[in-house]
Amino acid sequence: MALTSFRLAGLELKNRVLVASGTYGYGDDCLETADPGKLGGIITKSLSLKPRIGNPPVRIAETAGGMLNSIGLANIGVHRFLSEKLPFLRSVDTAVIANIAASTIEEYCEVLRILEGEDGIDGFEINVSCPNVREGGLIFGTDCAAVAEITRRLRALTKKPLLVKLTPNVTRIGEFARAVEAEGGDAVSVMNTLIGMAIDIKTRKPVLSTVTGGLSGPAIKPVALAKVYEAARAVRIPVIGIGGITNASDALEFLIAGATAVQVGTANFIDPAAGIKVAEGIARYCDENGIPDVADLVGSLDAGSGTSVLDSWL
Amino acid sequence: MALTSFRLAGLELKNRVLVASGTYGYGDDCLETADPGKLGGIITKSLSLKPRIGNPPVRIAETAGGMLNSIGLANIGVHRFLSEKLPFLRSVDTAVIANIAASTIEEYCEVLRILEGEDGIDGFEINVSCPNVREGGLIFGTDCAAVAEITRRLRALTKKPLLVKLTPNVTRIGEFARAVEAEGGDAVSVMNTLIGMAIDIKTRKPVLSTVTGGLSGPAIKPVALAKVYEAARAVRIPVIGIGGITNASDALEFLIAGATAVQVGTANFIDPAAGIKVAEGIARYCDENGIPDVADLVGSLDAGSGTSVLDSWL
Amino acid sequence: MEGVRTAGEGIHVLSFTSAAMSRSIRAGQFLNLRVEEACEPLLRRPFSAYRIEKSSIEIVFNVVGRGTAALRRKKQGDVLDVLGPLGKPFKTIDPGFDTGVLIGGGLGVAPLPLLTSALKQEGKPVVTFLGARSAAQLVTDHLENLHTATDDGSRGFRGNVVDLVSDFLSKHPVEHPKIFACGPMPMLRAVASFARASEITCEVSLEGPMGCGIGICQGCPVELAGPEKSYALMCKDGPAFDIRTIKI
Amino acid sequence: MEGVRTAGEGIHVLSFTSAAMSRSIRAGQFLNLRVEEACEPLLRRPFSAYRIEKSSIEIVFNVVGRGTAALRRKKQGDVLDVLGPLGKPFKTIDPGFDTGVLIGGGLGVAPLPLLTSALKQEGKPVVTFLGARSAAQLVTDHLENLHTATDDGSRGFRGNVVDLVSDFLSKHPVEHPKIFACGPMPMLRAVASFARASEITCEVSLEGPMGCGIGICQGCPVELAGPEKSYALMCKDGPAFDIRTIKI
Ligand SMILES: Cc1cc2nc3c(=O)[nH]c(=O)nc-3n(C[C@H](O)[C@H](O)[C@H](O)COP(=O)(O)OP(=O)(O)OC[C@H]3O[C@@H](n4cnc5c(N)ncnc54)[C@H](O)[C@@H]3O)c2cc1C
Ligand SMILES: Cc1cc2nc3c(=O)[nH]c(=O)nc-3n(C[C@H](O)[C@H](O)[C@H](O)COP(=O)(O)OP(=O)(O)OC[C@H]3O[C@@H](n4cnc5c(N)ncnc54)[C@H](O)[C@@H]3O)c2cc1C
Ligand SMILES: Cc1cc2nc3c(=O)[nH]c(=O)nc-3n(C[C@H](O)[C@H](O)[C@H](O)COP(=O)(O)O)c2cc1C
Ligand SMILES: Cc1cc2nc3c(=O)[nH]c(=O)nc-3n(C[C@H](O)[C@H](O)[C@H](O)COP(=O)(O)O)c2cc1C
Ligand code: FES
Ligand code: FES
């Protein structure tokens, strides 16, 4: 049996498959169909300081091989999370990583401070795909200096693993990964959703109430893989691969491209046990291919003499 | 019958559907199955100064709802194009727009100069998704100053319609559209392919010989639509929508989002008559909905009070 | 899968067997079906549980898009991937009413047969109103005390089903009624205004896009009544809601 | 569509009718099939024309992925979206040879029946060699003068088909032979070395990913022989190539 466990910034995870923020709730809605204890970890829905009701309907739209969402970071807020959700999560035998969203740097700090001392929270993932109210709503995550500052400020507040989740909607994600690394972030999660849009031609209105939304699912997998490849070549800290992972084969592509671990998102909606199946499939692949440790796969891409578009062109 | 013809920078096109560069060859391979004379226009495969043999196999890979390509701008070069392909294109009753690719700004100018005087070339589309050899292979199209300079230099060389085709692999495509507008470009074509990647987990090698490639097809439609929406709100010059258009409904989404015209790409591979069917479908939609002129659809999106992620967040 | 049969003009009934599911489904709950193994369409499709006969379970649907088109092509022996039962059942155990007034518009009939059985088990009489465009679209099986309305008058009352209900109840008042309604949104709005005006308790079963069906995507908000804007989740808190609790 | 039948272990023959296509297909050409209406899988799938009987056309395939899995599920009466015939036919009208030596590996047998007819029409005798893993994977219909090889020796020569050809031709030399081969790349390479060593003209029919099948995507390069690197297109200039013209 291949070794599946590994250490992520000092934290021991039983396997390399986590469930992505916003696609598994707070872990307590998936129980009957699948045991979350078999996951490498659970990333919570993004938590903000105050509860957020989220955007008006329509919040989701299906697209070819993918879906758009504009949930609006609907969440119960960090305080209710602690009282209502954390007790259950503590009872699950897996790592729990709190994902944090905020609209000012101070708010990120505040949420992290509230969570920091809590037993049962094993690490933090910072969602920087949020509008910076001070900068007129520009997304923090598209501003390299802002990402650096958020990392620096939060790093000072915690010794727990600090993951920064990057947005793909930038020209060179490698620069953002480097900024996180330079400021002491433990890992980068690559990637959040691509900005997308859908229009109802009958009404000539946007399908989503917010006009545009975030694209996820199998459709974005090739983009996510390229972003992970780019980020993994830019930094030495772990890159956690996210985007369109539906099965073990998808996850293996990410590991081979350089991801230390992966997160399963949209696939949970279709099969709440998707993450567990992915983890099992990775182990099976290793066994079938005589790979003693999943670690041996990470970054094992044999790119030969091929030069990539990231360096050159199509 | 709805009016389908329109003027694009002085050029009269019979309808708003063109076929995208690199997805229709030089127009002479699609004849038997569909009459290219029914298209609004044909954009040629990117032409370079010298012939290019293109990349080694494998050049294409299928992905969920899309495909990756790394053709490597294989083309017969501008001179053989003039002698071998233009005579046929002249015989087709549709607009012919020559797409130009190059690795230095001088080379863009040189190719345009060679084509400029030729009868039968109705305009130019500049592919800026090419590596700038002077800048160590960075893509021209991710450098706003380079896009501005290319536009300025080429504008000085031609009075024919000058379209600049933008890459989506940038943080804010609106800035690039504005640069083109400021330098006198007649229109922007939005968008080229997204950078993507696929790995063969059996061999642990990239599927494409160039590691990464360009993602196209239905999978990217939501992203393309958002980019078109962003560009159309940034400039007054026409935006030509491209990305995943397979049928009239897709094309209508782009027109409603603000595209003056559209290009059909990957769909030609599945049905070489796709562009014609899209054009016919648009006309039918207008007739069925009592719309006298397709122009009435352009930018007709009723976004209500919704604010988009482009301004704010998910 | 047992098969797909036709139950009206463009209306199909799909049946499959699952002993466990057949025992646990309550009226008003839904099943989330994966229609294709490929990622096209990507998401599951929700359908009300329509009928249960021993371990055989039925849903009723019409073809409106890719998912339902694929469902219609399913054949006996195919394996179906079904998640469920999901959502909350109708509140039938409620001392506040004596008679169930069931209203279905079009395929909003779907949850009514199970609801009929549930109410009968509670010993509550049922009167049912069904509306459709024409007689061919009425799916009238397994209902009790049925009154129909069609837009073209081809069967029963000519006009919309809410007018029929209002007309009927004014002529034949029932004791402590509670309305259970399912159908298109405009109909549900009309039902809600009628119920409010007549001060009848009323649950409406809503429809809308769903991402997951189990409460983990937050994709199915239903605006709640009350001074401060807030949302419930259609999939987890519904799909049926008491009209006093939501904005409708 | 007429239907899908089984022609061997895991091997299926799909037949459909098209009068126009049946008249224009030449041996070695291929058909590009759209397997699903949805965009999954997105691209067409190329298959050699296997058999033509009046207006009925057949292809032979095994299930290797999503596209072929979907093809196997097709039923009589389904409408197939087929582009073709595409590509260049085998060069059978060639004064330089008298006997056709046909070599197929696995489903590389696909173009051989039509090729057999074409050569017979030219009055050229044919000798055919077919290799497969075992007897169950041999599709031997409509071939002439057949010699078989199986990896497990369950039928004919035990070993690979190229060894069989070499062995056979050394014992039974034929007059002015020309080899036509179709099969997996390693087999084609072995055929090519054998043909070069024996100075026999040889055409190999290649396989590989295709985007369009008609020459507009430039997605199917085949490296040409010669001092300067250059590519032909498999779909437009092939799929069969004289081994002197390509790097193999
Ligand atoms: C709780 C619940 C129970 C349902 N029960 C039934 C039932 O018993 N029988 C039945 O026929 N249908 C039922 N529906 C609706 C059914 O889920 C949709 O008809 C189905 O998802 C459409 O799938 P499609 O792929 O065929 O259409 P799509 O291709 O997804 O869409 C086609 C058209 O239908 C619209 N549409 C898509 N999904 C929905 C939806 N959920 N509600 C309204 N419009 C939609 C789209 O906007 C589009 O215009 C129910 C929905 C919910 C939420
Ligand atoms: C000119 C030509 C003629 C062909 N004739 C036949 C034929 O007569 N009978 C037949 O069974 N097959 C034939 N093929 C191969 C056939 O097109 C592929 O088997 C088919 O495309 C696989 O589709 P899929 O969706 O089932 O597999 P996919 O899901 O696309 O892929 C499954 C596996 O097959 C590999 N694969 C995909 N496409 C090809 C390909 N074109 N060549 C080799 N490997 C591939 C993939 O890399 C993957 O490992 C031909 C191919 C060409 C180019
Ligand atoms: C409905 C939905 C809600 C999401 N909510 C969040 C969130 O709250 N915080 C966050 O960082 N990412 C969120 N994401 C992004 C996912 O975590 C993930 O990065 C993205 O969906 C890509 O992965 P996938 O293709 O596997 O879904 C959300 C995605 C979806 C589809
Ligand atoms: C095989 C292939 C080759 C392409 N070649 C070119 C090219 O030479 N020049 C160019 O500007 N765009 C090229 N493109 C990009 C398309 O013109 C188009 O912008 C892109 O594919 C998105 O549209 P689609 O999704 O409709 O294909 C190519 C795309 C494909 C798939
Ligand atoms: S559909 Fe996902 S929360 Fe309701
Ligand atoms: S498959 Fe498109 S050029 Fe050959």
Side-chain angles (χ1 to χ4, degrees), chain A residues 242-259:
Chain A
I242 321 170
I245 298 175
T246 302
N247 52 41
S249 170
D250 295 337
L252 287 160
E253 287 189 70
F254 280 85
L255 296 176
I256 294 167

Side-chain angles (χ1 to χ4, degrees), chain A residues 62 202, chain C residues 30 45-48 60-62 64-69 107 110 206-210 234 239:
Chain A
E62 216 180 14
K202 290 194 213 91
Chain C
F30 67 94
R45 297 290 189 260
F47 294 92
S48 302
V60 59
F61 67 98
N62 55 356
V64 300
R66 293 162 308 161
T68 43
L107 280 178
L206 303 179
E207 258 194 34
M210 286 189 178
M234 187 187 296

Side-chain angles (χ1 to χ4, degrees), chain B residues 20-23 45-46 69 71 73 99 127 165 191-193 216-217 220 242-245 265-266 269, chain D residues 217:
Chain B
S21 180
T23 68
K45 175 74 190 165
S46 278
N69 86 77
I71 304 301
L73 297 172
N99 180 297
N127 178 2
K165 182 169 179 181
M191 61 188 220
N192 214 311
T193 53
S216 66
I220 67 168
I242 320 170
I245 298 174
T266 300
F269 302 159
Chain D
C217 79

Side-chain angles (χ1 to χ4, degrees), chain D residues 17-235:
Chain D
T17 50
S18 162
M21 228 178 257
S22 68
R23 278 189 299 269
S24 54
I25 296 173
R26 297 288 163 267
Q29 289 189 301
F30 67 94
L31 306 171
N32 218 357
L33 272 69
R34 183 147 179 210
V35 294
E36 294 278 9
E37 260 190 77
C39 62
E40 192 59 25
L42 181 68
L43 300 171
R44 289 177 180 266
R45 296 291 189 261
F47 294 91
S48 301
Y50 170 54
R51 283 276 297 154
I52 299 174
E53 195 64 56
K54 302 219 179 87
S55 68
S56 157
I57 301 165
E58 291 184 344
I59 60 165
V60 59
F61 66 98
N62 55 357
V63 174
V64 299
R66 295 162 306 162
T68 43
L71 269 190
R72 192 185 40 186
R73 288 193 297 265
K74 300 279 172 203
K75 302 246 151 58
Q76 191 182 349
D78 288 358
V79 177
L80 267 192
D81 179 351
V82 183
L83 272 189
L86 303 175
K88 303 257 183 301
F90 283 118
K91 277 162 220 80
T92 51
I93 310 182
D94 175 347
F97 78 101
D98 292 329
T99 306
V101 175
L102 279 48
I103 311 178
L107 281 177
V109 67
L112 303 188
L114 287 187
L115 180 56
T116 302
S117 319
L119 289 169
K120 280 170 61 189
Q121 273 198 334
E122 306 280 316
K124 297 193 170 164
V126 161
V127 49
T128 309
F129 301 88
L130 213 58
R133 267 177 296 124
S134 74
Q137 278 101 35
L138 285 167
V139 186
T140 56
D141 305 335
H142 315 292
L143 300 173
E144 297 223 336
N145 228 328
L146 179 66
H147 306 269
T148 58
T150 50
D151 295 346
D152 64 359
S154 54
R155 180 158 162 199
F157 181 85
R158 175 195 293 266
N160 81 57
V161 67
V162 189
D163 292 339
L164 168 64
V165 173
S166 149
D167 187 59
F168 180 93
L169 291 186
S170 69
K171 291 178 190 152
H172 317 269
V174 300
E175 292 282 302
H176 299 289
K178 174 172 177 178
I179 293 175
F180 297 88
C182 183
M185 207 54 199
M187 177 199 112
L188 295 184
R189 283 208 194 90
V191 168
S193 344
F194 166 75
R196 282 199 190 100
S198 334
E199 297 186 339
I200 305 178
T201 17
C202 173
E203 263 185 64
V204 292
S205 184
L206 303 179
E207 258 193 33
M210 286 189 177
C212 67
I214 57 174
I216 58 176
C217 79
Q218 302 278 331
C220 59
V222 174
E223 193 174 345
L224 291 174
E228 257 179 68
K229 194 161 185 160
S230 68
Y231 299 105
L233 294 179
M234 187 188 297
C235 68

Side-chain angles (χ1 to χ4, degrees), chain B residues 70-93:
Chain B
S70 70
I71 304 301
L73 297 172
N75 78 97
I76 57 174
V78 65
H79 294 289
R80 278 181 57 198
F81 169 76
L82 289 181
S83 58
E84 295 173 26
K85 303 295 182 181
L86 188 56
F88 169 78
L89 282 170
R90 277 197 199 105
S91 75
V92 180
D93 179 24

